[in-house]
């Protein structure tokens, strides 16, 4: 290999890792330390990748990046449709698979965006058509009425006459034949009809008919999906309606978010049960992932800044807490080190149930405490903003790396917050790879990429590797 | 009024590492132990002024400003749960409050600091920072005691009235809201040193962490010298980096290294606040509470330094239970300096000019330029401008 090849590989490696990190962590929403501005920053990364590494860029759809970024990738690929003849079919398959995997509201928002941008090439129309052909359009017409209308209008997708009337001039009919469409029409005039509609659609009509919330929730219960029941069960229980929702059956991150929304007194009172339920949720999340051998230490940043912002309350802390439970499910010897707590750390996750995001970040102290228990893998779950004292973690980790680190000791920084000014999550040390983590499962995917970052793989190898991931991704969706 | 020397100290407080947000640096002051026997509350009551001398019916001296809130000090051991609201009603009761504007509840306070009726000198209401500012405004407020021909009749009769100063609210400061929101309060944090463009603007100390938490956001309603906006707009503050050139043998060494960083910060911040904590101020007692006293203090106004005015509650041993300071702008400090100088020479222009090594004309122009033209008769200023005085 020549020097320029090596340099090229290194640049490629750094670019791809920067992008990948951004794609796991950036959501376009605000973060605690940075206001708006994320969209601009991440849009630049996407444009850069699209121009320079188009094959890898398209393959990212299969790498488990978050939905916000997947939508951006699809948008950019369709906006610049000329991929070269050889690659186009492959890209189309990736796009179709990604659209099927994404939540429909995001897909419809993407279609509306394509319409706004006047992207209406043949590939775009084909992608929209392929997506719509697999959907239950009556249902989507209720739930995503504007999105579906935009998509149909934009792609000139042929819908049957009844649905066409429903979308574009529903008042012209005195009745629809298909039950869902008819229920929607009738719900404008009759209270009883709205209970045949999906929950979120019925909610609007219930407000319009001034139906008391408790009565509405009681009667709509059979129509609610699992996610809807999980989202509203706290409210439902407050109104005195019984539910059978438990944290154990939720996805891990939703379970911890729900936990953190409970008040401290309740959490302390039900500490054991809640911890058990979270362990169950974690066990499910860990399924299919490789177990981690040896001792693992987790530094859990519970400082004030981990509370996140109003749009996503306590999300960073929830990610850190989920990481604790997930690691607990994946290894036998986990020690957790919250910022304030016993110096020996804790192996009992029940003590984390009442964690709250308060106080200054003394990350260096907690990390050194963690390293004292001599772990094979140390995970630092933190937004990377250290305040007590600032800069100590970097200095301490640099010194640790230079003088005390054993070669088999692995350290990873899991950062739930994207920093748009850096185009990536904030790092804490040059010797500890930082992974943008929106969901604890990302951590496991990301750890595989860390090896790539530390120079084990080259760019070509990564492409090959991504291809291997992409094949089942496309197949599964089809 | 009897004055005594007062130097604020960090006794009982330790300085934590600062947190920087653009041009604003906040240094936490951390208490190992809460000050016992005193409680501090903040009560919100929008008033437009206070009668500081005389009765409400026959005011002799008034302080007019927007007064967003009052502080209540309570040294009673009994329960104090509803103190805040009770006092707010009390405060408005002293005043002839009306409905000038429906939306702004307003009134007048009686006295800057006033004991609460029906209690034995254990509870006190005062107006934070305005207490200190009034102390500055009444500095040599009486004017000349002897009749000198240069001063107007008005000054002879009524002193420097009306004496006024400008200040801006913290909320006008770009970035302060963010800086306060992003700041991570330390465990036991009971105060803060507030720097803008690395210049100390204010020091705040509360008796307990709980009391401070309630005062943290109040920086937005406090007022500051107007030059603060320039500091905020033009100065960005570097967040310092740490040098890591040592060779630790163990993790204990590393822990010691981190602790040393913390200590260095602490020492450095103390040095940055030397202009307030390293100097003696001239203090007067405003009110005596059980075991504590409320004082306000003025600097010596020496022309080359930066100066803070402020108020404090100290215990018998001079330890701070409460502190709030305001840094004077250069123009304000100069006014204080010139007044002190005149007063020291019994308002004799010739003697004052001699002490400065300047001519009488130059002195009069300096006083005029500082904003005190109204002290002199018109012909005095004209003569000074012509250099004929």
């Amino acid at each position: 290999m020549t020097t320029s090849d090596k340099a090229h590989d290194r640049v490629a490696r750094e670019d791809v890792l920067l992008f990948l990190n951004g794609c796991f962590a950036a959501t376009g929403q605000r973060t605690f330390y940075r206001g708006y501005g994320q969209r601009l920053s991440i849009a630049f990364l996407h444009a850069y990748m699209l121009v320079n590494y188009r094959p890898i860029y398209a393959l990212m759809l299969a790498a488990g990046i978050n939905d916000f970024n997947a939508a951006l990738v699809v948008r950019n690929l369709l906006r610049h449709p000329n991929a070269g003849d050889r690659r186009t079919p492959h890209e189309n398959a990736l796009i179709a698979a990604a659209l099927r995997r994404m939540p429909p509201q995001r897909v419809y928002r993407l279609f509306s965006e394509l319409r706004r941008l006047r992207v209406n090439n043949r590939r775009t129309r084909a992608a929209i058509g392929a997506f719509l052909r697999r959907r239950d359009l009556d249902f989507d017409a209720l739930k995503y009425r504007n999105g579906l209308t935009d998509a149909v209008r934009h792609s000139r997708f042929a819908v049957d006459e009844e649905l066409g009337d429903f979308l574009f001039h529903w008042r012209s009919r005195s009745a629809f034949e298909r039950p869902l469409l008819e229920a929607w029409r009738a719900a404008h005039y009759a209270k009883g009809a709205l209970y045949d509609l999906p929950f979120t659609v019925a909610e609007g009509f219930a407000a319009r008919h001034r139906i008391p919330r408790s009565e509405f929730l009681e009667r709509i219960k059979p129509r609610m999906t699992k996610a809807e029941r999980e989202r509203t069960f706290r409210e439902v229980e407050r109104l005195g309606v019984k539910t059978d929702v438990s944290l154990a059956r939720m996805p891990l991150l939703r379970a911890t978010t729900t936990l953190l929304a409970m008040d401290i007194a309740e959490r302390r009172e039900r500490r054991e049960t809640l911890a058990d339920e979270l362990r169950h949720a974690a066990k499910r999340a860990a399924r299919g992932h490789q177990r981690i051998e040896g001792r693992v230490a987790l530094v859990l940043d519970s400082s004030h800044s981990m509370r996140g912002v109003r749009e996503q309350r306590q999300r960073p802390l929830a990610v850190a807490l989920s990481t604790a439970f997930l690691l607990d499910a994946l290894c036998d010897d986990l020690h957790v080190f919250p910022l304030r707590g016993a110096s020996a750390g804790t192996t009992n996750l029940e003590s984390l149930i009442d964690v709250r995001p308060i106080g200054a970040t003394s990350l260096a102290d907690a990390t050194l405490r963690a390293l004292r228990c001599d772990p094979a893998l140390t995970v630092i779950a933190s937004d990377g903003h250290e305040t007590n004292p600032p800069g100590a973690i970097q200095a301490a980790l640099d010194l640790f790396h230079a003088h005390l680190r054993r070669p088999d000791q692995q350290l990873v920084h899991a950062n739930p917050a994207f920093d748009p000014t850096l185009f990536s999550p904030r790092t804490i040390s040059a010797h500890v790879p930082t992974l943008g983590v929106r969901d604890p499962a990302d951590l496991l995917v990301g750890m595989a990429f860390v090896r790539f970052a530390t120079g084990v793989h080259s760019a070509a190898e990564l492409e090959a590797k991504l291809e291997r991931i992409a094949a089942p991704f496309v197949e599964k969706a089809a | 009024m009897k004055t005594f020397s007062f130097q604020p100290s960090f006794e009982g407080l330790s300085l934590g590492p600062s947190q920087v947000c653009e041009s604003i640096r906040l240094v936490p002051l951390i208490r190992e132990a809460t000050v016992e026997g005193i409680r501090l509350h903040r009560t919100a009551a929008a008033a437009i002024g206070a009668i500081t001398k005389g009765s409400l019916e026959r005011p002799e001296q008034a302080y007019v400003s927007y007064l967003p809130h009052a502080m209540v000090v309570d040294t009673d051991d009994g329960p104090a749960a509803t103190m805040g609201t009770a006092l707010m009603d009390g405060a408005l009761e002293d005043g002839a409050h009306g409905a000038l504007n429906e939306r702004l509840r307003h009134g007048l306070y009686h006295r800057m600091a006033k004991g609460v009726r029906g209690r034995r000198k254990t509870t006190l209401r005062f107006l934070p920072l305005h207490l200190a500012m009034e102390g500055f405004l009444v500095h040599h407020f009486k004017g000349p005691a002897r009749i000198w021909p240069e001063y107007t009749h008005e000054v002879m009769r009524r002193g420097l009235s009306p004496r006024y100063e400008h200040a801006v609210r913290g909320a006008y400061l770009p970035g302060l809201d963010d800086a306060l929101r992003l700041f991570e309060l330390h465990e036991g944090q009971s105060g803060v040193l507030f720097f803008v463009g690395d210049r100390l603007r204010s020091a705040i100390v509360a008796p307990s962490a709980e009391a401070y938490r309630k005062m943290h956001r109040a920086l937005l309603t406090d007022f500051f010298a107007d030059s603060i906006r320039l500091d905020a707009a033009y100065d960005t503050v570097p967040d310092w980096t740490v040098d890591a050139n040592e060779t630790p043998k163990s993790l204990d060494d590393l822990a010691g290294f981190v602790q040393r960083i913390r200590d260095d910060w602490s020492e450095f911040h103390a040095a940055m606040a030397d202009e307030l904590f390293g100097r003696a101020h001239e203090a007067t007692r405003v009110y005596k509470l059980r075991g504590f006293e409320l004082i306000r203090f003025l600097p010596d106004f020496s022309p080359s330094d930066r100066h803070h005015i402020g108020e404090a509650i100290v215990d018998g041993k001079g330890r701070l239970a409460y502190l709030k300071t305001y840094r004077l702008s250069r123009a304000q400090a100069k006014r204080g300096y010139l007044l002190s100088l005149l007063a020291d020479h019994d308002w004799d222009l010739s003697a004052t000019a001699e002490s400065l090594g300047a001519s009488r004309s130059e002195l009069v122009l300096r006083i005029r330029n500082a904003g005190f033209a109204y002290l002199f008769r018109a012909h005095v200023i004209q003569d000074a401008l012509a250099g004929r005085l």
Side-chain angles (χ1 to χ4, degrees):
Chain A
M1 194 183 264
T2 66
T3 325
S4 78
D5 274 353
K6 267 188 198 160
H8 176 262
D9 257 358
R10 209 187 67 222
V11 170
R13 202 173 61 215
E14 283 169 5
D15 286 352
V16 172
L17 201 80
L18 183 72
F19 180 68
L20 195 77
N21 260 331
C23 281
F24 280 128
T27 56
Q29 286 170 319
R30 284 193 305 151
T31 57
F32 184 79
Y33 280 104
R34 308 280 170 216
Y36 300 98
Q38 243 194 59
R39 278 164 196 270
L40 205 64
S41 161
I42 197 78
F44 168 75
L45 280 186
H46 278 266
Y48 179 79
M49 284 294 291
L50 176 71
V51 172
N52 292 300
Y53 308 98
R54 182 153 182 149
I56 293 182
Y57 182 65
L59 282 167
M60 283 291 172
L61 287 173
I65 59 175
N66 68 26
D67 296 328
F68 168 74
N69 284 292
L72 275 180
V73 172
V74 173
R75 188 193 83 177
N76 288 340
L77 290 176
L78 292 176
R79 216 176 161 185
H80 304 278
N82 193 6
D85 290 342
R86 199 174 57 81
R87 298 217 56 97
T88 306
H90 188 46
E91 261 189 33
N92 284 343
L94 281 169
I95 289 172
L99 290 181
R100 253 168 264 142
R101 205 188 49 84
M102 272 159 59
Q105 72 274 19
R106 281 198 186 266
V107 179
Y108 282 117
R109 204 183 305 156
L110 167 69
F111 291 164
S112 297
E113 167 88 352
L114 288 169
R115 175 160 189 251
R116 196 181 61 74
L117 295 169
R118 298 169 160 268
V119 179
N120 199 353
N121 47 54
R122 202 159 62 92
R123 281 182 73 187
T124 304
R125 288 197 300 276
I128 296 178
F131 176 78
L132 293 182
R133 264 190 291 282
R134 293 170 142 261
R135 299 287 307 175
D136 174 0
L137 289 185
D138 284 1
F139 180 79
D140 283 6
L142 295 184
K143 250 192 114 135
Y144 315 110
R145 188 179 162 82
N146 291 337
L148 181 62
T149 313
D150 273 355
V152 167
R153 194 176 264 146
H154 188 54
S155 68
R156 289 164 254 159
F157 182 78
V159 289
D160 61 66
E161 197 190 332
E162 190 173 359
L163 188 60
D165 283 349
F166 180 85
L167 288 177
F168 296 104
H169 33 85
W170 67 273
R171 282 176 208 276
S172 69
R173 289 213 184 201
S174 56
F176 288 96
E177 277 161 34
R178 301 217 285 274
L180 264 182
L181 306 186
E182 173 57 19
W184 185 82
R185 193 200 61 81
H188 282 82
Y189 313 108
K191 279 184 192 179
L194 64 89
Y195 295 107
D196 296 328
L197 294 171
F199 170 67
T200 50
V201 182
E203 237 178 349
F205 284 115
R208 180 195 273 212
H209 291 303
R210 306 228 166 101
I211 299 172
R213 187 77 175 159
S214 54
E215 183 194 327
F216 170 68
L217 287 172
E218 178 76 59
R219 286 189 64 188
I220 199 75
K221 228 160 81 175
R223 297 284 312 186
M224 285 164 100
T225 63
K226 179 169 174 285
E228 281 160 359
R229 277 203 298 279
E230 286 169 0
R231 206 166 59 217
T232 53
F233 89 102
R234 306 272 309 155
E235 185 197 352
V236 170
E237 283 180 353
R238 256 202 307 280
L239 290 171
V241 183
K242 279 250 46 87
T243 62
D244 54 352
V245 176
S246 127
L247 299 186
R249 280 195 288 268
M250 293 186 189
L252 180 57
L253 188 59
R254 181 176 298 150
T256 45
T257 317
T258 312
L259 172 85
L260 292 179
M262 295 180 185
D263 44 272
I264 291 288
E266 185 186 350
R267 283 196 250 163
R268 287 194 179 133
E269 201 175 294
R270 297 177 48 206
R271 193 186 287 271
E272 286 84 23
T273 357
L274 290 171
D276 273 344
E277 290 182 1
L278 283 181
R279 278 197 202 99
H280 268 285
K283 208 168 279 171
R284 251 183 316 102
R287 218 171 278 160
H289 289 293
Q290 220 173 1
R291 286 193 70 75
I292 303 169
E293 296 302 320
R295 178 172 287 182
V296 179
L298 173 73
V299 178
L300 187 110
D301 182 353
S302 53
S303 66
H304 175 66
S305 60
M306 294 293 276
R307 73 174 48 222
V309 289
R310 203 186 309 163
E311 286 88 335
Q312 25 174 312
R313 266 178 214 197
Q314 313 219 39
R315 171 93 182 205
L317 184 63
V319 172
L321 190 60
S322 317
T323 309
F325 278 91
L326 186 68
L327 288 174
D328 181 54
L330 283 171
C331 70
D332 302 318
D333 191 7
L334 174 72
H335 294 250
V336 182
F337 295 82
L339 290 187
R340 285 167 300 280
S343 60
T346 175
T347 51
N348 181 6
L349 294 187
E350 273 164 30
S351 64
L352 299 179
I353 291 294
D354 58 353
V355 65
R356 275 193 300 171
I358 47 169
T361 319
S362 41
L363 208 50
D365 291 341
T367 306
L368 292 179
R369 283 207 304 272
L371 291 171
R372 234 177 258 265
C373 77
D374 196 26
L377 169 68
T378 309
V379 180
I380 302 168
S382 163
D383 61 2
H385 277 270
E386 196 186 29
T387 54
N388 183 19
I393 182 76
Q394 189 188 351
L397 284 178
D398 286 353
L399 289 176
F400 175 75
H401 179 81
H403 302 289
L404 302 169
R405 187 176 182 171
R406 289 197 323 273
D408 58 336
Q409 255 180 331
Q410 202 189 352
L411 281 93
V412 175
H413 170 211
N415 190 338
F418 181 77
D419 189 330
T421 55
L422 305 171
F423 295 112
S424 64
R426 200 179 157 105
T427 59
I428 49 172
S429 160
H431 309 293
V432 176
T434 294
L435 296 167
V437 175
R438 297 284 318 149
D439 192 298
D442 293 348
L443 179 68
L444 304 170
V445 181
M447 296 229 308
F449 282 100
V450 168
R451 267 185 300 158
F452 170 73
T454 44
V456 179
H457 298 290
S458 71
E461 255 181 88
L462 177 82
E463 200 180 325
K465 189 178 165 143
L466 281 172
E467 290 280 9
R468 280 201 298 281
I469 302 175
F473 173 74
V474 171
E475 254 168 51
K476 210 168 121 193
Chain B
M1 196 174 286
K2 217 181 105 199
T3 63
F4 54 95
S5 167
F6 169 71
Q7 180 168 353
S9 81
F10 288 122
E11 199 184 334
L13 292 163
S14 56
L15 288 83
S18 67
Q19 291 172 39
V20 171
C21 183
E22 285 172 15
S23 60
I24 292 165
R25 180 190 296 281
L26 295 167
V27 178
L29 299 173
I30 301 157
R31 274 194 198 284
E32 289 93 51
T34 302
V35 178
E36 297 295 335
I38 186 166
R39 275 176 301 227
L40 202 61
H41 316 257
R42 190 174 146 235
T43 68
I48 50 163
I51 306 296
T52 58
K53 221 181 218 178
S55 68
L56 278 164
E57 291 74 32
R58 297 174 69 85
E60 288 166 35
Q61 187 175 302
Y63 177 93
V64 183
S65 170
Y66 174 57
L67 306 168
H69 49 84
M71 288 289 219
V72 179
V73 195
D74 186 12
T75 54
D76 202 354
D77 302 326
T82 56
M83 263 340 280
T85 46
L87 262 161
M88 187 187 127
D89 292 344
L92 289 175
E93 264 168 36
D94 344 299
H97 64 280
L100 260 180
N101 180 338
E102 292 276 328
R103 271 171 297 180
L104 175 68
R105 227 182 134 197
H106 67 280
L108 285 173
Y109 285 101
H110 189 220
R111 297 283 173 94
M112 278 287 162
K114 188 171 181 174
V116 174
R117 266 171 285 169
R119 286 171 185 267
R120 282 172 300 114
K121 286 220 164 192
T122 56
T123 306
L124 167 72
R125 182 268 296 143
F126 69 94
L127 305 174
L129 224 46
H130 292 280
L131 179 66
M133 182 46 93
E134 193 216 21
F136 175 62
L137 290 175
V138 298
H139 180 57
H140 301 302
F141 183 66
K142 277 189 190 145
R146 235 190 276 179
I147 298 177
W148 298 98
E150 294 89 349
Y151 299 104
T152 60
H153 288 305
E154 199 63 12
V155 170
M156 293 298 179
R157 218 170 29 239
R158 299 183 47 187
L160 303 187
S161 178
R163 178 92 171 79
Y164 65 90
E165 293 292 350
H166 287 292
V168 295
R169 256 160 79 92
Y172 292 148
L173 202 63
L176 179 59
D177 193 12
D178 271 347
L180 292 173
R181 180 177 64 83
L182 300 181
F183 185 84
E184 295 187 328
L185 289 171
H186 286 243
E187 219 171 323
Q189 182 175 346
S190 308
V192 79
L193 299 177
F194 172 51
F195 293 87
V196 180
D198 269 351
R199 274 156 244 175
L200 181 65
R201 279 297 174 168
S202 184
I204 295 173
V205 173
S208 67
E210 202 185 320
Y212 177 72
R213 256 202 311 280
K214 297 201 176 106
M215 286 162 66
H216 183 63
R217 301 279 303 172
L219 263 179
L220 288 170
T221 45
D222 282 345
F223 60 85
F224 302 96
D226 42 16
S227 55
I228 199 169
R229 296 170 73 179
L230 285 179
D231 288 352
Y234 294 113
D235 285 309
T236 47
V237 182
D239 210 354
W240 292 311
T241 47
V242 180
D243 284 338
N245 40 15
E246 22 195 298
T247 44
K249 300 272 187 302
S250 66
L251 286 169
D252 287 332
D253 286 0
L254 266 185
F257 167 70
V258 172
Q259 191 52 44
R260 267 204 304 291
I261 298 176
R262 223 173 251 137
D263 295 344
D264 287 351
W265 277 98
S266 176
E267 215 171 283
F268 185 73
H269 291 321
M272 283 173 80
D274 204 45
E275 64 190 57
L276 172 63
F277 288 86
R279 285 167 52 182
H281 293 73
E282 192 178 279
T284 49
R285 187 201 293 154
V286 179
Y287 202 91
K288 198 164 176 181
L289 288 147
R290 201 162 64 177
F292 295 91
E293 52 187 20
L294 175 65
I295 61 170
R296 65 184 175 194
F297 55 85
L298 292 176
D300 59 11
F301 297 112
S302 55
S304 55
D305 281 322
R306 295 188 184 127
H307 299 288
H308 291 255
I309 59 172
E311 73 233 357
I313 295 176
V314 290
D315 69 2
K317 291 173 190 148
R319 282 177 304 201
L320 289 174
Y322 163 84
L323 174 77
K324 202 162 217 181
T325 71
Y326 167 93
R327 202 189 88 205
L328 298 169
S329 69
R330 283 184 80 90
Q332 286 166 344
K334 193 188 221 173
R335 283 195 275 279
Y337 173 63
L338 288 172
L339 289 179
S340 300
L341 210 60
L342 281 173
D344 286 350
H345 294 91
D346 205 10
W347 298 79
D348 177 355
L349 289 178
S350 307
T352 314
E354 202 177 308
S355 75
L356 284 172
S359 72
R360 278 163 56 91
S361 297
E362 282 162 352
L363 176 65
V364 167
L365 289 181
R366 269 179 79 174
I367 296 172
R368 182 194 77 141
N369 292 347
F372 288 128
Y374 66 97
L375 295 185
F376 300 110
R377 296 177 185 219
H379 72 86
V380 175
I381 302 221
Q382 275 162 14
D383 287 352
L385 282 168
R388 278 185 274 124
L389 200 65

